[in-house]
């Protein structure tokens, strides 16, 4: 049901054993794809609305829905993206896993661990892994390890992350270089490249580094000298570089504006019968842009074809970015049209390059035309594009355009509701648009996204001035869903805010 503003109302996984295989087929055989989405919503609703473990089990049994591996995977995926109560999802996971003869899929395990890790339920993570080890140890893979370590690395030190990595030695069926690589990749993504390299040097005698190890560590270098030194170590250990290794080195040279050195590496690759790929050329295009040669970079697109390597969207985006930096939008648009003529569809990154230019040039009309073209093409904007556009609307006080994009966001599900709504509510409140502000607020709550406290206070002041007390009480009740209680003092019509001290949202 849609929430209507009061101000608008009148006052599978199968194991190797034969018995397990047969049981898994039984569990998977009753899945009906056309009805799966309705069943997912039914089960997800039971899980999230249950008040106790007993209540959930009884409701699941009485629902008549068969809990196949596919259904369970989709329910857990739904739980992951809904940001609901992780302990309810865990109850469901354990209930399904404890059924006689049932085995979770690797996807279900990794998703459950992700949900727990995001909520910092680290003890529960280890309990799940210990239980899985007893029942089906083969489910614990290097991917599982990376999921767990990534969540730990977000809130713990590098030392604690490495200690957690060592715990997997007693849990994982195989503890080898692949697992070591999972740790290094985690540190690169969640900590820093320097942390990953330090850990590499401290553990490389325990795990024999392979080509994947070096490819992980070669990415992200800022100094070409350091990258060259690490590249040399790779050769000394007898690991032969591949195209990914060379691409990492070329990328460092291009970002350091050492394009000539990058060209030398390409020649070296060809001498070793390693063909440059589209990523190689994309780095060169970006490097030429950094040294102010966008036309030469565009020529690379043609040169690629002569070597049998055809540009993809990322390569075109790199060339378009060069023209946008040079403020040659005509050439940038020509390249985008060329992309389309080659059968390539511009993506959100492509359009964002133009939104950025229009924002800094305060060109709302061009930004609006681009937005309409984008939506007509079926390409949804990224959050950054939405922010460029909504800030332009606020700057020029264009409510209709801002609301059009907001309604598109609500209908089609793109962009960050919280970030965009903060700017939108500022615009609406500045212009006294109380009805529109209330409607947008309720749309956001219906999507289960919490408006920021700053936005709520702005709307609160606006409604107080308009004496819309009934609508204000309604919004207060809606905010209570997110653990934020509000109460109205009828004696003096002052809204008193009483925040839930257990929740500490971070609002920019």
């Amino acid at each position: 049901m849609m929430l209507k503003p009061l101000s608008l109302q009148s006052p599978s996984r199968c194991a190797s054993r034969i018995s397990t295989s047969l049981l898994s087929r039984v569990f998977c055989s009753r899945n009906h794809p056309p009805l799966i989405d309705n069943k997912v919503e039914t089960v997800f609703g039971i899980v999230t609305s249950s008040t106790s473990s007993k209540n959930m089990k009884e409701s699941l049994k009485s629902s008549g829905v068969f809990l196949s591996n596919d259904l369970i995977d989709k329910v857990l995926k739904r739980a992951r993206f809904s940001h609901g109560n992780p302990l309810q999802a865990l109850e469901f996971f354990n209930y399904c896993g404890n059924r006689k003869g049932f085995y979770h899929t690797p996807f279900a395990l990794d998703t459950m661990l992700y949900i727990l890790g995001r909520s910092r339920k680290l003890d529960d993570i280890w309990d799940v892994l210990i239980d899985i080890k007893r029942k089906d140890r083969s489910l614990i893979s290097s991917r599982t390890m990376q999921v767990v370590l990534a969540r730990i690395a977000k809130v713990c030190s590098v030392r604690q992350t490495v200690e957690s990595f060592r715990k997997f030695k007693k849990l994982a069926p195989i503890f080898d270089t692949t697992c070591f690589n999972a740790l290094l990749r985690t540190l690169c993504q969640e900590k820093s490249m320097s942390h990953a390299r330090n850990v590499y040097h401290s553990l490389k005698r325990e795990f024999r580094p392979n080509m994947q190890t070096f490819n992980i560590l070669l990415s992200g270098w800022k100094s070409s000298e350091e990258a060259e030194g690490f590249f040399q170590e790779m050769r000394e250990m007898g690991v032969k570089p591949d195209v990914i290794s060379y691409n990492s080195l070329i990328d460092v040279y291009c970002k350091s504006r050492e394009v000539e050195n990058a060209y030398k590496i390409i020649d070296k690759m060809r001498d070793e019968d390693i063909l440059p790929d589209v990523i190689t050329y994309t780095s060169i295009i970006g490097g030429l842009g950094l040294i102010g040669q966008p036309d030469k970079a565009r020529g690379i697109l043609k040169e690629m074809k002569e070597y049998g390597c055809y540009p993809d969207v990322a390569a075109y985006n790199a060339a378009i970015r060069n023209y946008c930096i040079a403020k040659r939008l005509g050439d940038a648009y020509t390249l985008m049209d060329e992309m389309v003529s080659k059968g390539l569809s511009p993506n959100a990154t492509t359009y964002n390059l133009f939104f950025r230019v229009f924002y800094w040039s305060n060109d709302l009309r061009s930004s609006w035309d681009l937005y309409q073209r984008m939506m007509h093409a079926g390409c949804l904007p990224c959050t950054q594009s939405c922010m460029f556009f909504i800030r332009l609307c606020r700057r020029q006080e264009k409510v209709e355009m801002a609301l059009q994009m907001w309604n598109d966001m609500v209908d089609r599900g793109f962009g960050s509701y919280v970030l965009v709504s903060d700017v939108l509510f500022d615009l609406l409140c500045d212009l006294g648009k109380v009805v529109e502000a209330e409607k947008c607020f309720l749309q956001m709550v219906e999507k289960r996204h919490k408006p920021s406290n700053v936005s709520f206070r702005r709307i609160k002041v606006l409604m107080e001035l308009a004496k819309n007390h009934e609508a204000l009480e309604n919004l207060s009740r809606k905010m209570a869903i997110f653990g934020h209680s509000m109460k109205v003092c009828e004696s003096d019509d002052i809204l008193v805010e009483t925040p839930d001290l257990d929740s500490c949202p971070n609002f920019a």
Side-chain angles (χ1 to χ4, degrees), residues 2-148:
M2 296 293 291
L3 298 173
K4 186 176 181 181
L6 288 172
S7 54
L8 292 179
Q9 299 175 6
S10 56
S12 102
R13 187 179 188 281
C14 300
S16 59
R17 298 180 302 276
I18 295 176
S19 58
T20 304
S21 178
L22 290 172
L23 284 167
S24 297
R25 284 199 292 271
V26 170
F27 277 112
C28 298
S29 63
R30 301 183 190 178
N31 184 23
H32 302 287
L35 301 177
I36 192 68
D37 288 339
N38 290 335
K39 290 181 178 179
V40 169
E41 290 303 316
T42 298
V43 174
F44 179 73
I46 291 173
V47 172
T48 55
S49 62
S50 297
T51 55
S52 66
S53 176
K54 181 180 179 181
N55 174 253
M56 183 196 70
K57 294 176 183 177
E58 291 175 350
S59 297
L60 288 172
K61 289 178 181 178
S62 62
S63 70
V65 177
F66 182 79
L67 300 176
S68 65
N69 283 112
D70 187 46
L71 183 93
I72 293 167
D73 288 354
K74 291 182 177 180
V75 170
L76 290 173
K77 181 179 179 181
R78 181 81 167 79
R80 172 185 172 179
F81 288 102
S82 70
H83 292 263
N85 186 334
L87 297 182
Q88 289 177 324
L90 181 58
E91 285 281 0
F92 173 70
F93 179 86
N94 288 335
Y95 167 72
C96 295
N98 290 332
R99 291 183 297 166
K100 186 177 180 180
F102 181 84
Y103 291 84
H104 277 298
T105 66
F107 178 86
L109 172 62
D110 293 349
T111 303
M112 187 66 252
L113 295 174
Y114 181 93
I115 293 170
L116 293 172
R118 181 177 58 199
S119 302
R120 303 186 182 186
K121 304 290 184 182
L122 302 186
D123 290 338
D124 290 313
I125 283 178
W126 296 115
D127 289 342
V128 168
L129 287 169
I130 291 170
D131 185 61
I132 288 294
K133 177 196 171 184
R134 286 197 300 264
K135 191 167 187 181
D136 189 358
R137 190 175 188 177
S138 65
L139 285 177
I140 305 174
S141 64
S142 59
R143 169 63 183 163
T144 306
M145 195 177 304
Q146 193 170 337
V147 169
V148 173

Side-chain angles (χ1 to χ4, degrees), residues 176-222:
D176 58 6
T177 301
T178 303
C179 300
F180 181 45
N181 291 342
L183 170 64
L184 297 178
R185 185 177 288 108
T186 296
L187 294 175
C188 289
Q189 294 172 351
E190 305 299 339
K191 293 298 183 182
S192 70
M193 295 302 301
S194 60
H195 284 129
R197 289 160 193 149
N198 289 339
V199 169
Y200 160 76
H201 286 299
S202 65
L203 298 180
K204 64 183 179 182
R205 291 175 180 80
E206 297 180 41
F207 302 92
R208 177 68 180 176
N210 56 21
M211 185 168 58
Q212 186 183 30
T213 309
F214 285 103
N215 286 344
I216 292 170
L217 295 167
L218 279 168
S219 62
W221 285 104
K222 294 183 179 179

